[in-house]
Amino acid sequence: MLILNCPYCGVDAEETELAAGGEAHLKRFGPGSSDDEFHDYLFMRENPKGVHFERWRHANGCGKWFHAARCTQTLEVFGTYSAQTTEPPQEIKDAITAKRPGWSWREFS
Amino acid sequence: MSEPISALNHASYEGIAKVEECGLQGMITLRGDLSDKVLAKAVKDATGQKVPGQREAFVDGDTGVCWMSTDELLVLVPYAEVEAKLAAMTNALSGTHALAVNVSDARAVFRVSGANAREVLGKLAPVELSAEAFQPGQIRRSRLAQVAGAFWMDDAETFRIVCFRSAADYAFKLLKVAAQPGSEVGVY
């Protein structure tokens, strides 16, 4: 059972109250981009065993989207943070480094 | 003019707790910047309450205001006054980036009361409902089995539950089953 703290309403919401929104921090490649970039944007997703960043929505709650950093292997949650950002905040990165030294995920580490 | 009737027209059930459909309740969904002074005054004029903080609910009878999210409030007013209150609110907010809509007829309201009220709700919602964690003055939006619902406490043994009117029958049946005689769990 996954329990995430919603950064908007401060509730410790369990999985059935949330809706998964796939991978976080995707950069959109739209009109004007190359076919390869567009292909990667549409189809290429991370599938790590370990540190992962995801989007979640507090669907049966405040209805807001937020980001979560967690470990896919142990279900450990490193933290949740606002959706209004293009990269994980430093305190989330620090929390992950404390538990998983040397981690990397896409361009973040 | 046809006579407005609530979803289950005051249906009730007595088990380990009393479950009642509360009848018609005026409800206005108000979205906007909750720190805005104009919005705060509109809420004050409609309900006499200040703007609630995170997960707070200031409700007295059928008047009050509940925090729904960072940019949304649920304003409760008597059913007969909802059009007048909404007009006053819309007028007050005309120069502000905010939206107020009458959702009274889209909702159903239930009351669960009695010493086992926490148990009944605890069976349906994935929420910590111990007396330390959930108190009168707080609101929680969650789910009741498979439908969305929000609830707050009127006093230490009474919950008021709001759900969509289309799910009223489902919600009432859920509450009835959760309140069956002899189904006490004894957790809370």
Side-chain angles (χ1 to χ4, degrees):
Chain A
M1 181 65 71
L2 187 63
I3 296 177
L4 299 175
N5 182 273
C6 170
Y8 295 95
C9 61
V11 156
D12 283 325
E14 55 103 52
E15 208 172 330
T16 61
E17 230 177 84
L18 304 165
E23 188 176 321
H25 306 302
L26 294 179
K27 182 164 185 266
R28 182 171 185 270
F29 288 93
S33 61
S34 72
D35 284 355
D36 279 350
E37 284 172 336
F38 189 58
H39 168 272
D40 288 356
Y41 158 64
L42 274 187
F43 301 116
M44 300 309 279
R45 293 290 180 271
E46 294 295 304
N47 185 20
K49 180 181 175 185
V51 176
H52 195 32
F53 294 86
E54 289 172 327
R55 301 170 72 226
W56 287 85
R57 191 170 88 91
H58 196 187
N60 280 315
C62 64
K64 301 295 182 199
W65 284 97
F66 61 92
H67 285 138
R70 68 179 184 100
C71 176
T72 57
Q73 192 175 4
T74 63
L75 286 191
E76 181 177 4
V77 177
F78 302 113
T80 55
Y81 51 101
S82 158
Q84 279 73 45
T85 177
T86 52
E87 65 172 289
Q90 193 58 46
E91 66 263 26
I92 296 287
K93 290 182 182 173
D94 291 346
I96 301 172
T97 305
K99 300 265 179 58
R100 303 281 189 279
W103 67 280
S104 72
W105 185 87
R106 287 194 183 252
E107 70 268 36
F108 308 123
S109 61
Chain B
M1 184 68 186
S2 55
E3 182 197 352
I5 290 179
S6 65
L8 302 178
N9 203 11
H10 298 276
S12 71
Y13 176 82
E14 190 101 38
I16 60 171
K18 188 163 199 272
V19 182
E20 304 159 87
E21 203 251 8
C22 296
L24 295 166
Q25 166 71 58
M27 276 187 225
I28 299 167
T29 285
L30 176 59
R31 297 199 82 143
D33 178 1
L34 301 190
S35 60
D36 189 283
K37 286 201 176 65
V38 180
L39 185 142
K41 186 168 184 308
V43 170
K44 183 105 185 160
D45 289 346
T47 65
Q49 304 282 4
K50 61 185 171 74
V51 173
Q54 190 183 59
R55 279 182 288 124
E56 284 181 329
F58 305 136
V59 185
D60 181 15
D62 53 5
T63 305
V65 58
C66 305
W67 189 91
M68 297 297 266
S69 80
T70 46
D71 57 0
E72 180 178 344
L73 298 176
L74 181 67
V75 178
L76 304 171
V77 295
Y79 188 82
E81 297 171 21
V82 65
E83 288 299 337
K85 297 270 189 190
L86 179 66
M89 197 178 273
T90 306
N91 191 33
L93 293 168
S94 57
T96 320
H97 182 66
L99 181 70
V101 178
N102 177 6
V103 295
S104 313
D105 296 326
R107 301 281 169 82
V109 187
F110 296 94
R111 183 181 292 113
V112 176
S113 52
N116 289 314
R118 286 181 188 272
E119 297 236 318
V120 172
L121 249 302
K123 291 179 195 176
L124 302 175
V127 178
E128 160 76 280
L129 286 173
S130 64
E132 301 82 56
F134 198 77
Q135 291 280 341
Q138 283 174 276
I139 184 168
R140 181 69 155 79
R141 286 176 81 177
S142 183
R143 64 183 177 88
L144 306 170
Q146 299 184 40
V147 295
F151 48 83
W152 65 87
M153 297 186 84
D154 288 323
D155 59 53
E157 294 190 343
T158 309
F159 281 90
R160 205 115 52 99
I161 302 159
V162 176
C163 71
F164 287 116
R165 182 175 177 131
S166 55
D169 186 50
Y170 175 81
F172 185 60
K173 284 173 178 162
L174 279 181
L175 291 165
K176 279 203 293 192
V177 171
Q180 266 177 6
S183 67
E184 297 92 340
V185 181
V187 176
Y188 300 128

